[in-house]
Amino acid sequence: MKPTSRQTDGRQIALRWGVGASAATLLLLPLIYGRPLPADMFLAVHSLLEVLAVTASLMVFAVLWSARQYRPHGSEMLLGATFLAAGLLDIGHLLSYAGMPELLTPNSPTKAIHFWLYGRTLTAAGLLLAALRAGRGQPAPAQMLPLLALLLVLCGFTLALLGERWLPVWFDADGGLSPYKIAVEYVLALAFATATALFAWRAYRNGAQHLAWLACGAWLQVLCTICVTLYQQPHDASNLLGHILKVLGCACIYRALVVRSIDEPYRRLAAERARLLESEARFRDNADAAPVAIWLADAQGARQWFNRTWLQFRGRTLAEETGDGWRSGVHPEDIARCSACLHESLTEGRPYRIEYRIRHRDGGWRWVLENGAPRSDEAGCCSGLIGSVVDIDQQKRTALELRLAASVFEHAREGVVITNAEGIILDANETYCAQTGYAREELLQQTPSLMRSGLHDETFYTALAAALARDGFWQGELWSRRKNGRRYAQLLAISAVRGDDGEISHYVGLSTDITELKNHQARLEHLARHDPLTQLANRTLFAERLQQGIGALQAGDGLLAVCYLDLDGFKPVNDRFGHAAGDRLLVEVACRLQESVGEHDTVARFGGDEFALLIGPHPNFATCEAVLKRILEHVAQVYTINVGDRVTMSASIGVTLFPDDDADADTLLRHADRAMYQAKQSGRNRYVLFDPESDRRKRSRQDLLGSVAGGLRRGEFCLYYQPKVDLTRGCVAGAEALIRWQHPERGLLLPGAFLPAIEGSELQLELGDWVMEQALHQIADWQRCGVTLSVSVNIHATHLLHPDFVERLANLIGRHGANRTPALEIEVLETAALHDLDQVARILEGCRAFGVEFALDDFGTGFSSLLYLRHLPVRTLKIDRSFVCDMLDDPEALAIVEGVIGLARAFRREVIAEGVESAAHGQRLLALGCHLVQGFGVARPMPAADLLDWIGSHYPHTQTDRARRCAGAH
């Protein structure tokens, strides 16, 4: 966001304050360093400054607390709470000074310093957390933060007044400030400086002047902290300068929060209100073209008219909205308020203003602001209402910003060591001495090489020195040796200090002991790669070793056995004896597995009672098999769970061999898992070797199933139609719908290329429904064109016997309107009746109720039974093509054809012969009494678009001209 000129001016002023205060501090410090002030004068000025600091701190809290409902940011409320606590603690600091009335216990510098440090720590924490989370909002428990601040104040007062003997000595009358106090002040200075940098960076990026003022306030706290580390006596001038800088810093922070919490929100609110009022006045006279919604209501409150903006907003017509129609869109929680406002305005003659939620045309709820006022007639009586509605949903969302979430930051003291340009140690702080185990006197005039651990070679130290010479800085992890000989890890940052001549004069090292962190990291790495219960390898380590084993075998010979092991009957043992006993059993199994395999084999636990093993490489499977048998034997031995409780256990193991199973690591493990389940199904307590070839066949079928499903979704399937001809009447009696797959790569595929793969799957039902739907759609198209042509489709027995087949078929027929004539015929194999003759008969009768006829396909090839013809309501028998093709040369085939025709005549069924390849076949069938035929001798299957043309060309007396024109139009 580009900053405004006002924001830029605010940032420049804050920058000048910070620079001016820094310059003034640098100029004054040399002049006042070590200069004490008269005690009476110091006490008076100090009291005044502390009163100002307390006032500023409490005003910071008051400003944030009063504005919490407008900008409820978690970080700002946390900052206000910390300043509330700091202000109260400053009161304790003020009253604890020598010369002030005693606060319960005798006043002392240590007591005053404790209140000072406690308050400063809270101030630093509040500023640092606010800086870290500035610009991001999260809801904050505003009511709880002041209580937490008061609790912290109570703790601070209790510790200062009653627990002074447990506190470190902050001040010595002879020696001045203690190292503890100075160290804490430097840590606070670092925290304030970090907050300064974060606020300044965010102010630079966002252009927000309140962030610049916060950065200035935090920087003044840094200067304050530095000043209060330089006095020898409490009434030194440097101490007083620090208090002045503290007050100025609080004033800057107060200035920032006033801008943030009061000035800017009210200015934005006033601008938004002015914009809305201006918009309402500008467009009142041209209601229908107004960008705000406007409505009129009669004296009873029924709305008579809405302008175009309202109707577009709601997505409804004027007729739907007038009267009480608009109320249907009001949110159920808001309808009562809206009704009450309208009633009050009508009865009392007063305008009203209400915000409520209403349904938008996109289906979502939108917040709107409605302003309504009574309308008066010439007699001054209320004749109705007029109102305007403004969409304020975006303003609502903008006003409801997320509150900032607070985080906790832990400060650690660092060891500091200073050397000259030659690396001779000149000084070291207590933390560094504690880290190394050497006293300060023992380190002086030594070099850091005294602590070398021997874990780093000379190349490491040469590179370190080169980096210091080149960059003037080095940071990294270093292992050193303490005085007692123990090694420790440190995070070390070394900076070169240059003199006025530009040459390096000193080196400063900052050291943090990270030994515990390193040890913890090592433990975490072990836990990340090992099972915590059995200490076996876990899935991660097993995967690494499996990958290494695969890589090794790719360059050599042998077999690597990847095994997946699952215990048989573990759950009953776990349920009976408890989880603790189950864990002991798992540990014992892990021990037996490790004893059963070789030294270089891997045993891993994946969780529960599942284990994985990596055996080999071995020259042949026989050696792998010996290990597997040994595992099964050891696992099957008796286990003692508790005293007197003995159980037996077995294991099922799935095994796959690399490189015979030439797959990647994850796939090998999945193959072993599949083989393990086969071992379970085969009786348990055994191993099963994975068969890659069988798996490839299964995957091939699954791939084909996926391709068929994808082809169905993409519309790659179509129906071809083979006409059925009545030889006696010389006309087309119908057509059989045959599915084809227009494969994008393999071209047009016949059913034999894909139907066997989907048999028995859900896809078989889906594809069958698609065939019936396409056939009905085509029948309906022909019927609309004036052509009634029966179409038969083949349905598998599994599909026919599905519980909701009749209902689904009825829905399809109703949806496509193809139920005006019995134009659909379903062909089923006679073997479908073998499942349940009565059930098949009921299904067929149910379908015939809405005009669907049935034919027994391939009649004579199965267990043909007169019982079928007696009980099944089929209209047609279809003679299998194998008999029709051979009937001219094979007397037995001819006898079967004659028998089927005779049965059809006896049971008053129609009969049709398929597979008619020549005119001789047709003549012989006609002589036998079968006049319905189909086959390549009549016509090959063709697309629906070609069928009417074929009928017109071969049977010109058929009325198909209009139908062809209709089909062409479609």
Side-chain angles (χ1 to χ4, degrees):
M1 181 180 68
K2 185 176 180 181
T4 63
S5 59
R6 180 185 178 93
Q7 291 172 327
T8 303
D9 293 342
R11 288 189 300 166
Q12 292 176 353
I13 294 172
L15 177 63
R16 291 166 187 165
W17 267 73
V19 172
S22 301
T25 302
L26 292 175
L27 291 174
L28 289 174
L29 274 179
L31 300 176
I32 66 175
Y33 178 71
R35 293 177 179 269
L37 297 175
D40 293 341
M41 183 183 74
F42 179 87
L43 181 61
V45 177
H46 173 267
S47 299
L48 175 62
L49 292 174
E50 284 300 329
V51 169
L52 292 176
V54 170
T55 302
S57 298
L58 296 181
M59 289 177 66
V60 167
F61 169 74
V63 167
L64 291 174
W65 180 259
S66 63
R68 68 188 185 282
Q69 58 182 336
Y70 303 107
R71 294 193 60 84
H73 284 73
S75 63
E76 294 181 358
M77 289 308 304
L78 182 60
L79 183 61
T82 56
F83 266 78
L84 170 63
L88 296 176
L89 289 168
D90 280 344
I91 295 175
H93 171 70
L94 170 63
L95 297 178
S96 298
Y97 240 82
M100 297 295 291
E102 290 187 352
L103 183 61
L104 296 182
T105 61
N107 291 344
S108 67
T110 295
K111 178 179 174 183
I113 290 174
H114 171 73
F115 279 112
W116 168 269
L117 291 178
Y118 197 11
R120 298 288 289 168
T121 300
L122 292 179
T123 303
L127 285 172
L128 190 55
L129 290 173
L132 288 171
R133 301 298 294 169
R136 287 172 284 176
Q138 287 290 345
Q143 291 77 9
M144 297 302 296
L145 290 176
L147 296 178
L148 179 60
L150 294 177
L151 180 62
L152 292 174
V153 171
L154 179 61
C155 293
F157 270 84
T158 302
L159 188 61
L161 299 177
L162 304 178
E164 186 173 355
R165 62 180 178 276
W166 295 309
L167 299 175
V169 176
W170 304 115
F171 182 81
D172 185 3
D174 298 327
L177 295 177
S178 71
Y180 295 109
K181 200 269 186 185
I182 296 175
V184 172
E185 290 286 2
Y186 279 130
V187 171
L188 293 176
L190 178 61
F192 284 127
T194 304
T196 301
L198 290 172
F199 280 133
W201 178 68
R202 295 188 188 277
Y204 174 76
R205 291 194 59 185
N206 302 336
Q209 62 167 313
H210 78 280
L211 293 176
W213 280 106
L214 286 173
C216 179
W219 176 246
L220 291 176
Q221 300 298 337
V222 174
L223 298 176
C224 163
T225 305
I226 294 173
C227 289
V228 297
T229 61
L230 302 177
Y231 67 86
Q232 299 297 321
Q233 295 299 326
H235 52 274
D236 279 2
S238 58
N239 189 15
L240 190 63
L241 178 59
H243 284 71
I244 295 173
L245 292 170
K246 172 188 170 183
V247 172
L248 293 176
C250 292
C252 290
I253 294 170
Y254 174 75
R255 169 69 175 88
L257 296 176
V258 167
V259 171
R260 178 66 167 172
S261 301
I262 297 178
D263 188 21
E264 291 185 2
Y266 281 108
R267 187 166 57 253
R268 288 199 302 270
L269 183 61
E272 183 65 18
R273 181 178 178 84
R275 187 187 67 79
L276 292 175
L277 293 175
E278 180 185 358
S279 176
E280 181 181 354
R282 186 184 306 122
F283 297 105
R284 186 180 297 276
D285 295 333
N286 195 4
D288 196 48
V292 297
I294 299 176
W295 53 264
L296 296 175
D298 59 19
Q300 286 73 40
R303 302 203 174 178
Q304 301 171 310
W305 178 82
F306 294 89
N307 73 340
R308 186 168 56 247
T309 302
W310 173 277
L311 298 178
Q312 290 175 349
F313 178 83
R314 294 276 287 127
R316 286 160 59 94
T317 64
L318 183 62
E320 292 173 325
E321 290 292 275
T322 52
D324 288 335
W326 68 279
R327 294 177 183 267
S328 64
V330 179
H331 196 282
E333 297 178 2
D334 300 334
I335 188 68
R337 291 193 300 109
C338 291
S339 299
C341 279
L342 290 173
H343 178 73
E344 182 180 351
S345 180
L346 286 169
T347 55
E348 300 183 9
R350 294 188 305 179
Y352 71 90
R353 181 186 183 93
I354 185 173
E355 295 179 1
Y356 60 91
R357 290 161 289 181
I358 194 167
R359 184 81 69 181
H360 188 257
R361 64 173 177 271
D362 62 7
W365 296 107
R366 295 288 184 90
W367 277 99
V368 296
L369 171 65
E370 181 171 292
N371 290 280
R375 290 183 297 146
S376 301
D377 55 17
E378 295 179 355
C381 298
C382 179
S383 62
L385 297 172
I386 182 173
S388 65
V389 179
V390 179
D391 182 359
I392 61 169
D393 194 69
Q394 185 60 42
Q395 291 94 314
K396 280 278 186 180
R397 263 195 299 268
T398 302
L400 188 61
E401 297 181 355
L402 297 174
R403 300 177 186 177
L404 297 175
S407 61
V408 178
F409 189 82
E410 297 181 356
H411 303 281
R413 288 174 28 174
E414 294 179 318
V416 181
V417 60
I418 302 174
T419 72
N420 60 17
E422 288 73 33
I424 304 299
I425 297 176
L426 302 179
D427 202 357
N429 68 351
E430 291 295 330
T431 303
Y432 188 81
C433 295
Q435 290 177 3
T436 62
Y438 289 96
R440 178 175 176 275
E441 293 73 15
E442 294 175 310
L443 291 174
L444 298 181
Q445 301 305 312
Q446 299 290 335
T447 64
S449 61
L450 175 68
M451 282 76 71
R452 285 192 180 184
S453 64
L455 297 179
H456 304 286
D457 56 19
E458 198 60 37
T459 304
F460 173 84
Y461 293 104
T462 302
L464 188 156
L468 277 176
R470 181 184 64 255
D471 305 324
F473 179 81
W474 181 90
Q475 182 175 353
E477 295 181 3
L478 183 72
W479 281 93
S480 298
R481 189 187 303 274
R482 292 190 173 97
K483 182 179 179 180
N484 59 12
R486 293 183 179 178
R487 293 189 178 97
Y488 73 100
Q490 60 179 151
L491 181 62
L492 181 63
I494 306 176
S495 299
V497 180
R498 298 183 181 275
D500 296 337
D501 55 359
E503 297 296 327
I504 295 176
S505 60
H506 298 84
Y507 292 102
V508 177
L510 300 179
S511 171
T512 303
D513 189 345
I514 59 172
T515 307
E516 188 60 32
L517 180 63
K518 281 292 185 180
N519 294 337
H520 184 62
Q521 181 181 353
R523 289 193 296 270
L524 288 178
E525 289 179 356
H526 178 82
L527 289 175
R529 298 160 64 87
H530 291 81
D531 175 55
L533 176 63
T534 62
Q535 299 305 311
L536 295 176
N538 64 4
R539 189 182 293 270
T540 301
L541 182 56
F542 183 87
E544 292 177 3
R545 293 186 179 175
L546 176 56
Q547 198 65 50
Q548 294 170 2
I550 292 174
L553 275 185
Q554 287 174 344
D557 297 328
L559 293 175
L560 183 65
V562 181
C563 310
Y564 207 104
L565 182 148
D566 186 87
L567 297 179
D568 302 327
F570 174 74
K571 187 177 184 301
V573 174
N574 206 32
D575 294 341
R576 177 183 175 188
F577 296 102
H579 293 290
D583 288 346
R584 291 195 297 272
L585 178 61
L586 291 174
V587 172
E588 177 61 25
V589 170
C591 293
R592 294 186 184 185
L593 291 176
Q594 287 182 303
E595 293 171 357
S596 302
V597 300
E599 178 183 357
H600 300 292
D601 298 335
T602 298
V603 181
R605 176 173 177 249
F606 282 1
D609 58 346
E610 295 182 349
F611 296 84
L613 300 96
L614 199 60
I615 302 173
H618 289 287
N620 50 57
F621 179 65
T623 55
C624 296
E625 186 177 30
V627 177
L628 294 171
K629 290 180 178 179
R630 188 163 60 246
I631 290 172
L632 291 173
E633 179 183 351
H634 286 186
V635 172
Q637 294 175 4
V638 177
Y639 297 85
T640 301
I641 300 296
N642 297 313
V643 178
D645 295 325
R646 296 161 64 84
V647 298
T648 57
M649 191 71 56
S650 62
S652 297
I653 307 175
V655 185
T656 188
L657 300 175
F658 181 85
D660 292 350
D661 183 3
D662 190 12
D664 57 41
D666 291 339
T667 306
L668 287 172
L669 201 55
R670 286 197 300 270
H671 289 172
D673 188 25
R674 291 182 201 168
M676 182 272 291
Y677 279 105
Q678 293 178 10
K680 290 275 190 186
Q681 295 168 358
S682 301
R684 305 187 176 188
N685 193 23
R686 66 193 65 216
Y687 71 87
V688 169
L689 187 62
F690 176 77
D691 183 3
E693 185 57 36
S694 173
D695 185 69
R696 289 190 192 97
R697 288 195 297 270
K698 292 179 183 177
R699 287 204 312 265
S700 178
R701 180 176 182 271
Q702 291 298 323
D703 292 343
L704 183 54
L705 281 174
S707 298
V708 171
L712 189 59
R713 288 194 304 270
R714 293 188 294 271
E716 295 173 1
F717 287 91
C718 60
L719 293 183
Y720 274 44
Y721 296 87
Q722 187 176 38
K724 302 175 183 179
V725 174
D726 189 332
L727 297 177
T728 302
R729 297 168 57 196
C731 64
V732 176
E736 180 179 3
L738 301 169
I739 191 169
R740 298 290 187 267
W741 185 3
Q742 189 63 53
H743 197 281
E745 299 175 357
R746 300 167 60 189
L748 190 66
L749 301 181
L750 298 180
F754 54 88
L755 288 185
I758 69 172
E759 187 169 343
S761 67
E762 289 293 328
L763 190 57
Q764 185 181 40
L765 304 182
E766 185 178 354
L767 193 61
D769 284 347
W770 180 88
V771 169
M772 290 192 296
E773 184 171 12
Q774 293 300 311
L776 289 167
H777 179 74
Q778 187 59 60
I779 290 171
D781 282 350
W782 285 336
Q783 287 177 349
R784 284 192 293 270
C785 295
V787 174
T788 301
L789 194 62
S790 174
V791 175
S792 62
V793 296
N794 293 277
I795 294 299
H796 194 273
T798 303
H799 193 181
L800 180 69
L801 294 172
H802 197 271
D804 61 350
F805 177 79
V806 177
E807 181 182 354
R808 292 160 72 177
L809 180 57
N811 291 335
L812 289 175
I813 292 176
R815 187 161 66 243
H816 289 283
N819 56 347
R820 290 172 291 181
T821 58
L824 179 66
E825 181 180 64
I826 294 179
E827 298 183 6
V828 296
L829 294 176
E830 61 173 304
T831 53
L834 290 174
H835 297 81
D836 188 336
L837 185 61
D838 293 336
Q839 181 185 1
V840 173
R842 287 194 298 270
I843 293 175
L844 269 55
E845 287 290 356
C847 294
R848 292 188 68 195
F850 42 84
V852 177
E853 296 293 344
F854 287 86
L856 277 180
D857 197 11
D858 296 346
F859 190 80
T861 59
F863 298 95
S864 301
S865 172
L866 297 180
L867 189 63
Y868 298 164
L869 298 180
R870 181 181 176 185
H871 288 283
L872 296 181
V874 297
R875 182 179 66 176
T876 306
L877 302 181
K878 199 165 187 179
I879 307 174
D880 186 65
R881 68 175 64 250
S882 62
F883 304 132
V884 176
C885 290
D886 297 340
M887 62 180 286
L888 298 180
D889 303 317
D890 186 350
E892 293 181 355
L894 179 60
I896 293 174
V897 172
E898 288 177 327
V900 174
I901 295 173
L903 285 174
R905 187 181 300 114
F907 284 93
R908 293 189 296 277
R909 304 286 197 270
E910 291 185 359
V911 63
I912 182 172
E914 62 177 346
V916 175
E917 305 293 341
S918 64
H921 285 89
Q923 294 170 358
R924 190 58 179 271
L925 288 167
L926 196 58
L928 294 174
C930 177
H931 57 88
L932 294 176
V933 298
Q934 73 177 96
F936 288 175
V938 178
R940 291 181 175 273
M942 63 191 73
D946 299 338
L947 182 61
L948 295 183
D949 291 336
W950 182 88
I951 294 174
S953 62
H954 287 76
Y955 299 91
H957 59 280
T958 305
Q959 296 180 0
T960 58
D961 291 340
R962 186 174 67 86
R964 287 200 302 274
R965 290 195 299 272
C966 179
H970 281 75

